[in-house]
Amino acid sequence: MSAIDFYTQQITISSIFSRLVSGIFSNGLVRIGLKKRHMDLQTIKAARIARPEGKAGVGASSMVHDLGSSGGDIIPLKNYLDSQYLGEIGIGSPPQNFTVIFDTGSSNLWVPSSKCYFSIACYFHSKYKSSWSSTYTKNGNFCEIHYGSGSISGFFSQDNVQVGDLVVKDQVFVEATKEGSLSFILGKFDGILGLGFQEISVGNVVPLWYNMVQQDLVDDEVFSFWLNRNPEAKEGGELVLGGVDPKHFKGKHTFVPVTKKGYWEITMGDFLIGSHSTGLCEGGCAAIVDSGTSLLAGPTPIITEINHAIGAEGRVSAECKEVVSHYGDLIWELIISGVKPSKVCSQLGLCLFNGTSGIESVVEKEHKEKSSAGNDLPCTACQMLVIWAQNQLREKETKETAISYLDKLCESLPSPMGGSSIDCNSISTMPDITFTIGDNPFSLTPEQYILKTGEGVAQVCVSGFMALDVPPPRGPLWILGDVFMGVYHTIFDYGNLEVGFAEAA
């Protein structure tokens, strides 16, 4: 599928190295104070960055890992907008400082190059100058990373990289000489430091985290995120390399295995809106735990149901309503008669998928030719209606009630770029949203999944959910971004290939 756009989160930290010099230690962990900034709508839009092209690509048990005493290095995170988390690193000798996104959804490190002459974005950010570093080694191989709304290109170089008080020697990274997206101009980050697996590393470059482990710079092969969702707090959050900070979570972590190396991909169970099952993930859904994505992304049918439940303003879909009007009765009857849900739309002649079906991304459809888009929209609408009709059957609703509900859901289809606005005064009446991970429920309250900006009459509230459609066999797929990670302290266990979640303190 084509590249998927995501809201990214960023976080910066000022005076990281000066604080290290002052020697603030506790339980073997370096602690550094953080700063925060307030949200605003302009910056929310600027924070939207595309995930690298190609990103889309049961029986987990709950375990207790004794990681609380592990020594590690704490990287401070500054909460920018309440949806962006950035940290500071240094490249070269002496270190040249850069503000980066610590991104578990990618695996390369890149920063702007002093040889970036023709991209406006480079003039708004710090640039790496190889001539200033005594530890620089030339590589020079060309590199290009494509994004849904642009791309970066440049060449590989090699130098020492300082993260906290750890120095990774001879790290290969990208010097970006061209940044082709407006997001890079307006973003508060200089570059991206990927914490994903080497399997998705462009150029098969060894990721920085791998080198930390191989160079014995960390005590344990784990790193953990605490993202502070309180925009008024002094600390934006912490990234702990080589351990965890027990003060940042409550109780025990639920650990689930990584099911596919590349991204930190796990299996998620049923998804509930209030106390009602959506049914889509009862047999298991893939989920990527991604610190570089601000929002929660999931299948359009479920995001639409969430939008309807919370009163979010979506885009009215004439195609969806037309399918309900002409085929609603037939869809209902076919499901009741025992026809496999995946066959319903093809039997109605709305889909021609040779026995398999998948809901296509709304974002992808917008980039298609009008002729093909016109043919595909009824199929997409039909497949969503089948899922919703199944849920209504599960709730034992009558056909008339169910079809009326389906028609209303058509009005709540999410905006292609996510971030549907809602009435701030209705937050107290909204339902909890619950993910099932490792057979345990992980709930988000309305206060936790709604993003707010402004105050008083100028306050605007935005849904923390956006649509992402990936067809089988890879889908349905969820992206658990910072909205989720801000509520649940997250451990990435590289040694045991597991991800752990516990309530954040």
Side-chain angles (χ1 to χ4, degrees), residues 207-222:
L208 182 136
W209 168 251
Y210 281 47
N211 283 328
M212 279 189 180
V213 173
Q214 293 169 6
Q215 295 176 23
D216 295 323
L217 297 179
V218 292
D219 292 338
D220 291 299
E221 296 182 13
V222 301

Side-chain angles (χ1 to χ4, degrees), residues 168-451:
V168 178
K169 297 183 181 300
D170 303 323
Q171 176 65 44
V172 176
F173 65 99
V174 179
E175 286 193 52
T177 56
K178 181 179 180 181
E179 300 180 18
S181 171
L182 182 64
S183 298
F184 299 127
I185 298 176
L186 300 178
K188 299 298 180 180
F189 61 94
D190 299 317
I192 295 177
L193 193 161
L195 292 169
F197 293 94
Q198 189 171 358
E199 280 78 356
I200 59 171
S201 175
V202 175
N204 199 35
V205 169
V206 178
L208 182 136
W209 168 251
Y210 281 47
N211 283 328
M212 279 189 180
V213 173
Q214 293 169 6
Q215 295 176 23
D216 295 323
L217 297 179
V218 292
D219 292 338
D220 291 299
E221 296 182 13
V222 301
F223 58 90
S224 56
F225 277 89
W226 170 65
L227 305 181
N228 191 344
R229 299 300 285 179
N230 179 3
E232 303 299 328
K234 293 181 179 180
E235 291 183 299
E238 286 182 344
L239 164 62
V240 181
L241 301 169
V244 302
D245 185 343
K247 294 195 303 184
H248 287 153
F249 62 88
K250 304 174 184 177
K252 301 175 181 179
H253 285 78
T254 294
F255 281 84
V256 291
V258 173
T259 56
K260 186 177 179 64
K261 288 177 67 177
Y263 306 104
W264 288 88
E265 184 174 322
I266 62 175
T267 296
M268 185 182 82
D270 199 10
F271 180 85
L272 288 79
I273 301 175
S275 60
H276 299 286
S277 167
T278 60
L280 187 65
C281 293
E282 284 184 325
C285 283
I288 293 171
V289 189
D290 187 356
S291 63
T293 295
S294 298
L295 305 182
L296 283 158
T300 297
I302 306 305
I303 302 302
T304 302
E305 288 197 64
I306 294 173
N307 275 359
H308 180 72
I310 67 178
E313 298 176 3
R315 64 177 191 121
V316 177
S317 171
E319 291 83 2
C320 180
K321 283 180 169 289
E322 185 176 354
V323 172
V324 171
S325 175
H326 289 88
Y327 299 96
D329 286 342
L330 285 173
I331 289 173
W332 186 266
E333 296 299 335
L334 286 174
I335 293 176
I336 289 179
S337 67
V339 174
K340 290 184 177 180
S342 61
K343 305 287 187 180
V344 169
C345 297
S346 59
Q347 286 199 16
L348 292 176
L350 296 175
C351 296
L352 303 174
F353 278 42
N354 296 323
T356 60
S357 62
I359 299 170
E360 198 166 358
S361 170
V362 175
V363 176
E364 290 180 309
K365 289 185 179 299
E366 297 233 325
H367 292 289
K368 286 192 171 185
E369 296 293 336
K370 291 182 179 179
S371 58
S372 63
N375 294 329
D376 290 343
L377 280 172
C379 174
T380 299
C382 177
Q383 291 182 356
M384 288 190 292
L385 292 172
V386 168
I387 293 173
W388 297 336
Q390 286 179 278
N391 293 339
Q392 290 296 288
L393 273 174
R394 192 178 291 108
E395 297 293 330
K396 303 186 186 309
E397 297 289 355
T398 65
K399 181 175 73 172
E400 290 73 19
T401 301
I403 291 178
S404 175
Y405 176 70
L406 300 185
D407 190 70
K408 291 179 181 178
L409 284 179
C410 287
E411 299 177 358
S412 299
L413 283 171
S415 166
M417 294 308 296
S420 300
S421 61
I422 58 124
D423 181 2
C424 297
N425 295 322
S426 64
I427 291 178
S428 61
T429 65
M430 296 178 187
D432 289 352
I433 303 297
T434 302
F435 298 83
T436 304
I437 301 175
D439 297 326
N440 291 327
F442 289 83
S443 296
L444 301 178
T445 66
E447 289 288 347
Q448 292 168 336
Y449 64 74
I450 298 297
L451 303 179

Side-chain angles (χ1 to χ4, degrees), residues 9-284:
Q9 299 143 284
Q10 313 160 0
I11 345 169
T12 60
I13 307 153
S14 65
S15 65
I16 175 172
F17 297 109
S18 62
R19 293 295 300 274
L20 284 169
V21 172
S22 67
I24 303 176
F25 294 93
S26 178
N27 298 326
L29 304 179
V30 180
R31 301 180 182 278
I32 308 168
L34 308 179
K35 293 182 179 180
K36 297 193 175 191
R37 299 186 185 185
H38 294 284
M39 288 179 67
D40 60 75
L41 284 177
Q42 181 180 0
T43 320
I44 289 178
K45 295 176 181 178
R48 182 180 298 160
I49 182 176
R51 176 58 61 222
E53 191 167 336
K55 177 172 185 174
V58 190
S61 60
S62 179
M63 301 173 59
V64 180
H65 287 212
D66 183 20
L67 298 172
S69 61
S70 298
D73 196 57
I74 292 183
I75 308 304
L77 302 177
K78 182 167 70 177
N79 183 344
Y80 181 75
L81 299 186
D82 192 35
S83 63
Q84 303 181 14
Y85 297 88
L86 306 172
E88 189 170 301
I89 65 171
I91 301 179
S93 303
Q96 301 171 40
N97 294 354
F98 298 92
T99 297
V100 298
I101 299 172
F102 289 99
D103 179 21
T104 60
S106 65
S107 300
N108 291 86
L109 166 62
W110 67 265
V111 295
S113 172
S114 61
K115 297 179 176 62
C116 179
Y117 304 119
F118 303 111
S119 290
I120 297 176
C122 291
Y123 291 92
F124 289 88
H125 299 288
S126 301
K127 295 185 287 291
Y128 171 77
K129 301 176 178 62
S130 59
S131 61
W132 289 8
S133 175
S134 61
T135 49
Y136 162 76
T137 300
K138 183 179 179 179
N139 180 306
N141 290 332
F142 177 78
C143 172
E144 186 172 21
I145 303 176
H146 291 275
Y147 293 84
S149 58
S151 64
I152 67 107
S153 61
F155 56 91
F156 289 114
S157 290
Q158 181 176 301
D159 209 334
N160 293 349
V161 177
Q162 183 171 353
V163 185
D165 63 349
L166 307 179
V167 178
V168 178
K169 297 183 181 300
D170 303 323
Q171 176 65 44
V172 176
F173 65 99
V174 179
E175 286 193 52
T177 56
K178 181 179 180 181
E179 300 180 18
S181 171
L182 182 64
S183 298
F184 299 127
I185 298 176
L186 300 178
K188 299 298 180 180
F189 61 94
D190 299 317
I192 295 177
L193 193 161
L195 292 169
F197 293 94
Q198 189 171 358
E199 280 78 356
I200 59 171
S201 175
V202 175
N204 199 35
V205 169
V206 178
L208 182 136
W209 168 251
Y210 281 47
N211 283 328
M212 279 189 180
V213 173
Q214 293 169 6
Q215 295 176 23
D216 295 323
L217 297 179
V218 292
D219 292 338
D220 291 299
E221 296 182 13
V222 301
F223 58 90
S224 56
F225 277 89
W226 170 65
L227 305 181
N228 191 344
R229 299 300 285 179
N230 179 3
E232 303 299 328
K234 293 181 179 180
E235 291 183 299
E238 286 182 344
L239 164 62
V240 181
L241 301 169
V244 302
D245 185 343
K247 294 195 303 184
H248 287 153
F249 62 88
K250 304 174 184 177
K252 301 175 181 179
H253 285 78
T254 294
F255 281 84
V256 291
V258 173
T259 56
K260 186 177 179 64
K261 288 177 67 177
Y263 306 104
W264 288 88
E265 184 174 322
I266 62 175
T267 296
M268 185 182 82
D270 199 10
F271 180 85
L272 288 79
I273 301 175
S275 60
H276 299 286
S277 167
T278 60
L280 187 65
C281 293
E282 284 184 325

